[in-house]
Amino acid sequence: MARKISTDDGRAALAAAAGGSPARTELATAVRYLLQLLAEKAPGNSVEVRVPPFGAVQVLEGPRHTRGTPPNVVETDAATWIALATGTLAWDDAVAAGRILASGTRADLTALLPLRP
């Protein structure tokens, strides 16, 4: 991630997203802020978390991945990521509903969510 999002900016974007129909820039900031918090909480390079088109981070200590598709990938949409990260949606419920694509033995983020924005 190129620049760090301040707590104030991140919380403002999350508030806008929670209010429904956020502007694209607010949605992008909310997603990137939560990805930033996840990377701070679980630094590492063994799992790639993707929220297209807004961002991706590598997290969790373990085998480092450097080329091609990583063996442990979590991918979801912006609304699902925000709901997971803020605790309004449980991991298992999102997986059961097909709202998360997770592959690899380390791609379960249950222990890391929700975040504390």
Side-chain angles (χ1 to χ4, degrees):
M1 299 178 93
R3 69 176 180 93
K4 186 170 179 167
I5 298 167
S6 73
T7 301
D8 289 342
D9 289 347
R11 287 181 177 165
L14 285 171
S21 301
R24 182 174 169 86
T25 55
E26 293 169 324
L27 186 60
T29 299
V31 166
R32 292 177 184 140
Y33 176 64
L34 292 169
L35 288 171
Q36 173 183 299
L37 292 179
L38 179 64
E40 290 169 359
K41 183 176 185 177
N45 297 85
S46 67
V47 178
E48 186 165 293
V49 180
R50 300 174 181 168
V51 185
F54 301 116
V57 294
Q58 290 189 358
V59 297
L60 292 172
E61 291 183 9
R64 182 175 179 83
H65 175 77
T66 57
R67 297 185 63 180
T69 301
N72 299 289
V73 176
V74 173
E75 186 168 325
T76 191
D77 62 274
T80 300
W81 171 241
I82 292 170
L84 286 167
T86 58
T88 60
L89 177 64
W91 179 267
D92 290 339
D93 293 340
V95 170
R99 294 175 66 182
I100 297 173
L101 298 174
S103 63
T105 58
R106 307 191 74 200
D108 184 339
L109 303 180
T110 303
L112 299 173
L113 300 173
L115 300 170
R116 301 287 177 230

